[in-house]
């Protein structure tokens, strides 16, 4: 099993993800510069966080239209898992691989702190190791994390349990106070129709070692690795 | 022929515009009352095309493929012969 971590100009969480996958978990993973268009030989992809292309035009907009994203789409079409973290989530929505859009935080400030999240579904390749409605804590760090989608899209996401994470308070309740960025229905992460493409604003790679405060995020990468082992 | 296209990107009705809201508040501090302040992005694109219509069609494609995000943006195009 080999996982690709895509690097664009301005990506800056690539080495954190590589460290977690390789050093912490002992998996085979490699960073892949966006000019390489061939992803054959990879069984999964992480689009990491950062500020690809300086967030020019719209966050993720330029990266979403680079040729490597066609390869990522091809890999996703084979059912292989693709995880977009933070700027990676923005890239996946801009590429049309996920529904909705990520806009400037309702209070236009860079929010960088721990957030409580509720795991809305365990029926994804990324959350099988969690409990349904389990409340977890992961760090967030973004200014364009305000998820927006039209009503029709929201209904579609709700109906098929495609909202994966919501911002909640410590008791697992969806409240306005627990919503750090104004995201509609407190949405922090969603999957595509095939459930194998996930985008989320929080950073699981920053919570994958107890020495750094938490290893909750590692369960996401473990879920992903299990899914690959079982299916590919 | 050479044409200049002016593309204006505005957020759709009902979208939050935190930058506009902040500017509105700052204007109030200066004593200016306003009904609302909205921000927009403007692109000036110089291109060769056979006619104004052909130029507009090209630029419309550019908007749909990259410059605007149809989920959150509306856009207008003005074409001027150079």
């Amino acid at each position: 099993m080999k996982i690709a971590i895509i690097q664009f100009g301005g990506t800056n969480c690539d080495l954190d993800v590589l460290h977690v996958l390789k050093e912490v978990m002992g998996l085979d993973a490699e960073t892949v510069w966006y000019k390489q268009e061939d992803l054959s030989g990879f069984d999964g992809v992480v689009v990491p966080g950062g500020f690809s292309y300086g967030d020019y035009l719209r966050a993720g907009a330029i990266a979403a239209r680079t040729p490597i994203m066609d390869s990522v789409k091809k890999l996703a079409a084979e059912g292989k898992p693709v995880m977009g973290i933070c700027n990676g989530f923005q890239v996946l929505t801009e590429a049309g691989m996920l529904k909705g859009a990520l806009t400037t935080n309702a209070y236009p400030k860079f929010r960088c702190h721990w957030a409580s999240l509720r795991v809305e579904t365990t029926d994804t390749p990324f959350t099988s190791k969690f409990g349904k409605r389990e409340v977890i804590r992961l760090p967030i760090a973004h200014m364009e994390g305000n998820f927006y989608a039209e009503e029709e899209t929201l209904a579609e996401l709700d109906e098929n349990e495609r909202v994966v994470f919501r911002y909640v308070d410590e008791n697992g309740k969806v409240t306005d106070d627990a919503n750090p960025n104004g995201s509609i229905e407190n949405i922090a992460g969603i999957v595509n129709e095939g459930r194998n493409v996930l985008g989320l604003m929080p950073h699981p790679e920053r919570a994958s070692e107890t020495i750094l405060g938490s290893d909750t995020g590692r369960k996401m990468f473990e879920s992903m690795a299990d899914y690959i082992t079982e299916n590919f | 022929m050479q044409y200049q296209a002016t593309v204006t990107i505005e957020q759709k009705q009902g979208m939050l515009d935190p930058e506009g809201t902040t500017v509105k508040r700052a204007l109030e501090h200066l004593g200016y009352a306003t009904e609302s302040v909205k921000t927009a992005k403007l692109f000036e694109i110089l291109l060769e095309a056979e006619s104004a219509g052909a130029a507009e069609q090209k630029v419309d494609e550019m908007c749909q493929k990259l410059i605007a995000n149809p989920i959150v943006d509306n856009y207008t195009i003005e074409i001027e012969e150079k």
Side-chain angles (χ1 to χ4, degrees):
Chain A
M1 174 206 320
K2 195 152 86 174
I3 298 173
I5 302 160
I6 313 292
Q7 294 175 310
F8 301 102
T11 297
N12 66 12
C13 300
D14 43 341
L15 298 182
D16 298 41
V17 176
L18 183 70
H19 168 74
V20 169
L21 295 181
K22 255 188 126 162
E23 311 300 328
V24 180
M25 297 177 57
L27 298 172
D28 192 5
E30 233 173 68
T31 54
V32 179
W33 182 237
Y34 78 98
K35 284 192 174 168
Q36 181 185 323
E37 288 169 32
D38 184 12
L39 289 177
S40 54
F42 289 100
D43 306 297
V45 166
V46 176
V47 186
F51 301 88
S52 57
Y53 304 94
D55 283 346
Y56 286 177
L57 195 60
R58 296 174 302 277
I62 309 285
R65 288 156 179 91
T66 54
I68 198 173
M69 289 309 296
D70 292 333
S71 309
V72 175
K73 283 178 192 169
K74 243 183 251 164
L75 184 139
E78 292 168 24
K80 292 175 176 172
V82 176
M83 183 196 295
I85 303 166
C86 197
N87 188 223
F89 185 10
Q90 295 160 343
V91 172
L92 295 180
T93 55
E94 280 285 345
M97 293 177 70
L98 288 172
K99 291 284 176 83
L102 292 145
T103 61
T104 307
N105 293 352
Y107 186 75
K109 183 182 160 186
F110 190 88
R111 299 287 303 255
C112 184
H113 54 76
W114 288 78
S116 294
L117 304 161
R118 195 172 67 198
V119 181
E120 301 291 74
T121 172
T122 54
D123 179 22
T124 80
F126 315 94
T127 52
S128 57
K129 292 206 173 287
F130 292 105
K132 192 166 179 176
R133 298 181 84 78
E134 183 181 341
V135 177
I136 61 171
R137 306 242 324 142
L138 290 178
I140 57 164
H142 60 252
M143 195 158 106
E144 282 93 11
N146 183 351
F147 182 79
Y148 172 80
E150 284 158 2
E151 251 173 59
E152 204 179 306
T153 305
L154 287 173
E156 186 191 321
L157 293 176
D158 279 334
E159 200 178 322
N160 304 301
E161 284 205 344
R162 282 167 52 192
V163 175
V164 183
F165 300 107
R166 282 185 214 274
Y167 301 106
V168 292
D169 67 13
E170 289 158 11
N171 304 314
K173 276 186 94 173
V174 170
T175 64
D176 286 345
D177 281 349
N179 188 340
N181 51 31
S183 285
I184 201 156
E185 295 184 1
N186 284 41
I187 291 172
I190 58 167
V191 281
N192 68 338
E193 205 177 349
R195 310 190 80 78
N196 63 318
V197 178
L198 166 79
L200 80 165
M201 288 314 295
H203 286 271
E205 81 281 13
R206 295 187 188 178
S208 288
E209 286 170 278
T210 45
I211 197 169
L212 297 177
S214 161
D215 63 355
T216 304
R218 200 160 85 200
K219 282 192 190 171
M220 287 185 58
F221 299 112
E222 285 169 359
S223 300
M224 188 174 167
D226 274 11
Y227 176 82
I228 293 172
T229 309
E230 281 163 25
N231 292 284
F232 298 100
Chain B
M1 292 291 290
Q2 197 171 47
Y3 293 93
Q4 176 166 300
T6 306
V7 178
T8 309
I9 311 278
E10 285 174 301
Q11 286 189 309
K12 280 187 179 168
Q13 197 82 33
M15 294 294 300
L16 286 175
D17 180 358
E19 194 176 349
T21 311
T22 306
V23 172
K24 181 180 189 318
R25 212 175 304 134
L27 284 171
E28 276 159 20
H29 293 319
L30 293 172
Y32 298 105
T34 56
E35 287 294 320
S36 74
V37 178
K38 298 269 178 223
T39 59
K41 246 185 196 175
L42 187 138
F43 295 82
E44 287 178 345
I45 301 169
L46 213 54
L47 75 163
E48 287 286 337
E50 278 179 10
S51 65
E56 183 167 353
Q57 200 181 344
K58 258 280 161 53
V59 174
D60 191 59
E61 264 177 49
M62 295 178 196
C63 288
Q64 290 185 31
K65 284 190 183 162
L66 174 67
I67 299 172
N69 179 343
I71 298 169
V72 291
D73 298 327
N74 285 329
Y75 62 89
T76 56
I77 302 167
E78 278 172 54
I79 302 283
E80 193 188 323
E81 201 179 306
K82 274 289 167 188

